Structures are given as C-alpha cells and as structure tokens.
Amino acid sequence: MKHFFRSLAHRFLIGLAGLLLLAISALFLIERLVVMPVLLEEENRRAAQELARIGQALEHNRSSLLAQVRDWAHWDDTYEFVQGRHDTYASANFSREMFEDMNYQVMVFYTAEKDLYWVAGIDPATGKYTVCSRATNDCLWTRSLLEVLRPLLADTAQSGFAVNVSRPWPAMAAVAPILRTDRSGAAAGWLVKVRLIDSRVTSLLEEQTGLPVAINARKSMASSPEHTVVIRDSGQLEVSRRLAAQTTDPALELTTRMPRERFQTAARLFRFALAWTAALLLLVMLMVLSLLLLLVIRPLGQFTRFTRSQHGINSLLGTDSGGTVPPSLLKRRDEFGTLAHHFQSLLDQQHAQGRMLLKLSQHDSLTGLANRRLFDASLEQALMAPGEPAVSVMMIDIDHFKLYNDHYGHPAGDECLVRVAEAMQATMGQQGLLVARTGGEEFNILLPGTPLEVAMEHAETLRQSIEDLGLEHTSSPVLNVVTVSVGVASTRGISKRSGTRLMSNADQALYQAKDSGRNRVTGYAQESALSAQ
Ligand SMILES: Nc1nc2c(ncn2[C@@H]2O[C@H](COP(=O)(O)OP(=O)(O)OP(=O)(O)O)[C@@H](O)[C@H]2O)c(=O)[nH]1
C-alpha cells in the first residue's frame, strides 16, 4: 500500500478521483439545495395561481347570482308582493322547475323590518320543493339556513352583496334590497337567493378552469384563507385553500389537483444535465490522467529505469550499451528532451573521466606503459584462458641504472627510462604483447600462448634492440651503452598455474642473468638457468 502511494500516477489518480467525487457531490448539493427548492417554489406559485383562477370563477358565479337577485328585487311585482299586494306573484313566479333551471336552492323574502315574509326552495336532504308564507311547518328544513342568513341583513348595503356560507351546507348567498323597477323610494324588504355549491357548480368551475374542483366544508382549518396547502405525491399535486365565507365554522375548503409534469420535466432535465456534466467531468479527468501518463509519467518512468540501470564500472566508463539515454527520450522536444540531452552530456563527461581514471590507474605516468596492476590482472586472465595454453613472462631490468642516474642525473635517468620503454613498446607492443613498467627500472612483458623457447627468442630480440639504441652509459661496467638483463619464465613444467609462482621464477631467471654478467637473457629452468649470449 505504501508503494502504491509513492507512485506519481497513483497519487494523481487518487487526487483526480477525489476531485471528481467533490465535483459530483457539489452538483448533487446544488440540485438539492438550490435547484429543487426553486422548482418547488415555482410549482407552489403556479398552484396558487390556479387556485386563484378557480376562486375567481366562483366569484364570477356569485356575482351572476347577485345580478339575478337584483333582477328580481328591483321589480314592481316583487315590491308589491313583499308588501302583501300581489296575490298571484308566488304562483306565477315560484315553481320547482324555475328553482332547478336557475340552480337556486332557496329564496327568502324579508319585509322592510327584516322580518321573514316568504320562503321557497328545495330541501337538499329530501329533494322536496316547498313554498311557505312565513316559516310554516313545511319549511322547517330552512330554519338553520335562516339563522345563518339573518346576520347578513344587519349590514346590508343598499346595492346588495353575495357571500359564501358553510352552514347548513356549502353554498353561496346573494342579498339585495327590494325596490321599485325604477329604483325610486325606500326598500320594501330584502330578497335572498341561496345556491348550493354542489357538483353542478363545481362542474361549471371545472369547465371554466379546466381543473378538477372540490369545495367541501371542513371541521377546522388552521391556515388563513390566503394560505395554500400543498400535498405532493410523485405524479400529482393536491392544492387546497380556505375560502372566505360568511360562516367559518365549519370552513369552506377549495381543493384542486394538478399534474406535476412541469416540475418533473424540469427535474428530469436538470438530472440529465447533471449526469452529463458528471460524465464529462469523468471523461475530462480520464483524459487529463492519460495525458499525464503519456507526457509525464511514462517518460519519467523510462528515465527512472535508465538511471537505475547506471551502476557498476561499465556504466561509469560507458562501455556497455546502456550507457546512452534511450533515443525515445532524446528525440523529445519538450522539457524531458532537454533533460535527456543534458543528462546524456553529463553521462558522456562521466564516461570520459571514468576512462581517464581507469587509464591513470592502470598505466605508468612517466612512460605511458601499463603498470603492475594492469599487468597482474592481465596475467591472471591469461592464466585462466580456456585450454590452459603456455604463458610466458619476461622480467627486464636496466643494468647499473643507479650508476646512470648518478652519472647523468635523475632527469636524464627519466629520459633513459622513456627511451627504453619506447623501444620495448616498438619491439613487443607492436606484436600485441603487454609491456608494463612494474618498478623503478624494471619492466615485465606478458606473452600469452607462448612457450618458453619462443619467449626467449623475443627476449633476445628485445635485449638487442635496446643495446642497439646506443644510449650512452659510460659508467656501466658492462658496455658503454645502456643494456638490459632479461629473465624469462613459462608455465610449462610448473605444477600450479600461479602468477606469483611464474613471476618468482622469472625473477630468479633475471637474478641469474644479472649474476652471470648482465646484458643477457636467462630462461628459468628447474635444474639450471638457460642463457643466451
Ligand atoms: N631517474 C630515475 N631513476 C629511478 C627511477 N626509479 C628508480 N630509479 C633508480 O634506479 C636505481 C636502481 O638501482 P639498483 O636497484 O641499485 O640497481 P642497478 O643500479 O640498476 O643495479 P643492477 O640492477 O644490479 O644492475 C636507483 O638508483 C633508483 O634511484 C625513476 O623513475 N627515475
């Protein structure tokens, strides 16, 4: 798990996933806290408007009832009738058909003193039509209605008015003063018409508004008449409001139902947009991640893998194939390309320095020949060669070099060493043999795959070539030129192929060469030294 979080790609993935989650949560909260409340408020506003429309249709119905009351009340016949001077008025004007056609439930006539004069109507409970002078037994069913109507007369304006009543049934009542047709003189009484708010009225309202309408008497309603109560289910909205009425106990409640299509469509649309936004966000984030992988993480990984592989002496010297930055990185034109080029030039410098260090560590600074370290390593390598071929070595020492130094000085001694080294390199090095300066005036030559006899021939050639240099050495007891003594040894005849043993044998042979007069080649032999010259 720890490793998982170390990866840049994984960290980015987690970061982007977090951002995506945050964005989706924000969208969800915006839907819940901003969009939905606005949509619900809009739905409530529309519901209140529709209820108001039904209310207006109801009011229109009441107004038409009031107009009809006025028609009757401002008429000489009614004027005469309410004063007891029109005997045929009742029989001529009141009939069950008239009540049914005009959708009247009850008509009440009052005298100028506001006493009940005449009442006629259809009992909603029994459907019985009755016409009564005063409140006779036949019209007892109107008693509770008359109680409700009486207070209306108290504040009756001259022109009349219409109201809703809830008792004894939901109804509307219109009141107008009884006047002459030309409206002259004082009111002779009051006429009240009552229309039941029943299915006939609600059907009419439904026709006018196009909405389902129910008007019912409710025991009690906590809300004020303006307050709209909204009950929602998934598909429909039930909206109700208290109606202003003369009688408020029980209260009249106007209810309608509305489809929630607009709300649902808007909510659906918003959720659709939300889902698309979330999907787009996801897509964008995936694209960002892919770009990141492609442009940053992958080259970075390539770089990391390459730098990880740069270990060991070979990468220090640039001798293995991995010493070059991958071409795909070098080809890039972006920051990674620049970095790759800088890295490559640093690497090249490091390789050059590495090679120089290696050369310094394996070569002699004065003569440029291989040093003892390189000679020993090469000797070990030659001894381990498959098939165990014969390996010979020469050990060379300049004769009486101390006397040379003493006579010509140390710098001249150095110059002499360089000349001798050059001669060795020219004679032996040209043949691919390793010539090494292994001590002050001591040199070794490695002859892999060479038997002792051949090696001795080479040694003799070498010795002669140095003598032929003719480097003046007047203080030498051997010759008046610089000479060398050479000890040669071979692996043939020794029980163990050991470098130390071989060099020790060569040293013994050299000792013998020196001992027997110098400027000669001596091969190491078990019993006795072989000499040349
Ligand atoms: N100029 C110079 N002299 C060196 C260098 N290294 C060693 N020598 C000298 O080489 C001499 C070696 O002397 P010895 O070991 O006595 O041997 P030799 O005088 O050659 O006598 P034999 O080997 O017995 O013939 C010493 O005088 C060292 O100072 C060097 O790098 N430059």
Side-chain angles (χ1 to χ4, degrees):
M1 199 63 185
K2 229 174 174 179
H3 288 289
F4 184 83
F5 285 108
R6 269 190 209 154
S7 155
L8 213 56
H10 292 162
R11 276 200 230 165
F12 263 108
L13 188 70
I14 291 167
L16 286 180
L19 275 180
L20 183 68
L21 210 68
L22 207 70
I24 291 175
S25 309
L27 287 175
F28 180 77
L29 284 178
I30 288 172
E31 190 223 352
R32 289 279 129 174
L33 303 178
V34 180
V35 177
M36 281 302 160
V38 169
L39 288 179
L40 287 173
E41 203 181 303
E42 163 64 18
E43 195 179 43
N44 286 350
R45 202 179 53 77
R46 202 168 65 84
Q49 273 176 359
E50 296 292 42
L51 268 188
R53 219 150 59 78
I54 299 170
Q56 277 166 10
L58 187 67
E59 198 178 312
H60 185 72
N61 202 298
R62 271 200 319 270
S63 302
S64 91
L65 182 66
L66 179 59
Q68 290 160 22
V69 170
R70 281 191 189 128
D71 258 9
W72 280 60
H74 302 165
W75 184 26
D76 287 343
D77 282 12
T78 309
Y79 192 80
E80 295 299 325
F81 168 66
V82 83
Q83 291 179 77
R85 296 201 296 258
H86 198 313
D87 298 337
T88 57
Y89 182 88
S91 57
N93 292 301
F94 299 152
S95 71
R96 181 184 190 92
E97 288 70 32
M98 186 277 290
F99 271 82
E100 283 174 349
D101 289 351
M102 299 303 292
N103 195 19
Y104 299 150
Q105 206 64 37
V106 180
M107 280 177 68
V108 190
F109 292 81
Y110 290 96
T111 64
E113 292 75 35
K114 297 180 179 171
D115 292 329
L116 179 67
Y117 178 72
W118 200 274
V119 62
I122 302 169
D123 182 357
T126 61
K128 199 176 153 196
Y129 171 68
T130 49
V131 180
C132 311
S133 165
R134 311 269 192 266
T136 60
N137 283 346
D138 279 352
C139 294
L140 274 178
W141 60 272
T142 62
R143 185 180 285 169
S144 51
L145 174 68
L146 294 175
E147 277 171 18
V148 170
L149 296 180
R150 174 150 290 283
L152 291 181
L153 302 178
D155 52 352
T156 306
Q158 197 62 23
S159 55
F161 62 94
V163 292
N164 295 323
V165 291
S166 60
R167 269 188 292 125
W169 336 276
M172 59 182 85
V175 188
I178 297 170
L179 300 170
R180 285 188 182 283
T181 307
D182 60 5
R183 300 186 189 186
S184 61
W190 304 92
L191 173 59
V192 181
K193 285 187 183 183
V194 176
R195 176 176 287 160
L196 221 55
I197 300 179
D198 57 3
S199 60
R200 228 171 125 179
V201 170
T202 53
S203 300
L204 191 72
L205 295 177
E206 283 175 357
E207 246 173 60
Q208 289 168 346
T209 59
L211 291 166
V213 177
I215 299 174
N216 296 301
R218 292 268 185 254
K219 266 263 155 68
S220 67
M221 283 174 69
S223 57
S224 65
E226 295 76 30
H227 186 73
T228 306
V229 178
V230 179
I231 299 168
R232 291 183 166 84
D233 65 23
S234 57
Q236 275 209 326
L237 204 66
E238 189 183 284
V239 206
S240 51
R241 202 182 67 188
R242 221 170 120 173
L243 280 176
Q246 177 67 20
T247 49
T248 53
D249 182 25
L252 274 188
E253 185 188 49
L254 168 63
T255 306
T256 187
R257 286 175 173 280
M258 289 166 51
R260 302 189 68 196
E261 274 163 9
R262 275 165 81 163
F263 171 83
Q264 282 167 337
T265 308
R268 223 178 6 253
L269 265 175
F270 183 78
R271 283 189 192 126
F272 186 69
L274 205 74
W276 268 104
T277 312
L280 277 177
L281 272 176
L282 185 68
L283 194 73
V284 166
M285 286 183 182
L286 283 176
M287 281 168 71
V288 167
L289 193 68
S290 318
L291 278 177
L292 201 75
L293 274 174
L294 199 72
L295 298 177
V296 181
I297 310 282
R298 196 175 292 171
L300 205 61
Q302 237 180 326
F303 232 129
T304 313
R305 277 194 297 280
F306 171 70
T307 49
R308 251 193 225 142
S309 70
Q310 296 305 294
H311 289 301
I313 187 74
N314 282 341
S315 64
L316 181 75
L317 302 174
T319 48
D320 59 356
S321 56
T324 315
V325 176
S328 57
L329 286 172
L330 287 169
K331 264 189 247 160
R332 295 179 73 106
R333 289 168 184 273
D334 55 12
E335 285 82 350
F336 277 109
T338 315
L339 187 66
H341 280 284
H342 284 312
F343 197 77
Q344 184 61 59
S345 75
L346 279 177
L347 219 54
D348 290 344
Q349 278 177 32
Q350 180 200 301
H351 294 160
Q353 285 169 354
R355 281 194 290 271
M356 193 192 283
L357 276 177
L358 186 69
K359 196 174 175 208
L360 286 177
S361 72
Q362 293 182 327
H363 290 80
D364 168 45
S365 58
L366 179 67
T367 61
L369 293 178
N371 64 11
R372 178 176 290 282
R373 185 183 291 124
L374 181 56
F375 180 83
D376 287 348
S378 304
L379 175 60
E380 286 305 318
Q381 221 173 341
L383 289 172
M384 283 191 301
E388 301 191 348
V391 175
S392 297
V393 290
M394 293 182 208
M395 196 176 270
I396 306 141
D397 191 279
I398 301 176
D399 298 327
H400 297 297
F401 192 61
K402 183 177 181 313
L403 293 177
Y404 189 94
N405 265 337
D406 292 347
H407 187 80
Y408 297 101
H410 206 268
D414 281 354
E415 180 60 25
C416 174
L417 286 171
V418 172
R419 297 288 303 279
V420 169
E422 282 171 356
M424 287 183 188
Q425 187 63 23
T427 325
M428 300 287 116
Q430 288 303 320
Q431 296 180 44
L433 300 174
L434 179 72
V435 183
R437 183 185 174 207
T438 51
E441 30 72 83
E442 186 185 296
F443 301 86
N444 287 353
I445 297 178
L446 177 66
L447 300 102
T450 312
L452 184 67
E453 297 74 24
V454 180
M456 287 198 54
E457 282 168 23
H458 283 308
E460 180 48 33
T461 311
L462 176 76
R463 186 204 62 74
Q464 189 60 56
S465 69
I466 287 167
E467 188 184 316
D468 291 349
L469 279 177
L471 293 172
E472 190 183 283
H473 188 356
T474 52
S475 51
S476 168
V478 182
L479 269 180
N480 57 353
V481 291
V482 171
T483 56
V484 292
S485 299
V486 185
V488 185
S490 168
T491 49
R492 197 182 58 188
I494 61 172
S495 53
K496 194 178 160 211
R497 283 168 72 87
S498 143
T500 318
R501 176 75 192 279
L502 190 61
M503 293 315 294
S504 161
N505 289 352
D507 191 36
Q508 281 185 44
L510 176 62
Y511 177 77
Q512 283 174 12
K514 291 266 181 191
D515 200 38
S516 19
R518 298 185 174 81
N519 189 23
R520 64 193 59 227
V521 175
T522 305
Y524 176 81
Q526 293 286 25
E527 305 84 22
S528 61
L530 288 166
S531 320
Q533 202 193 12

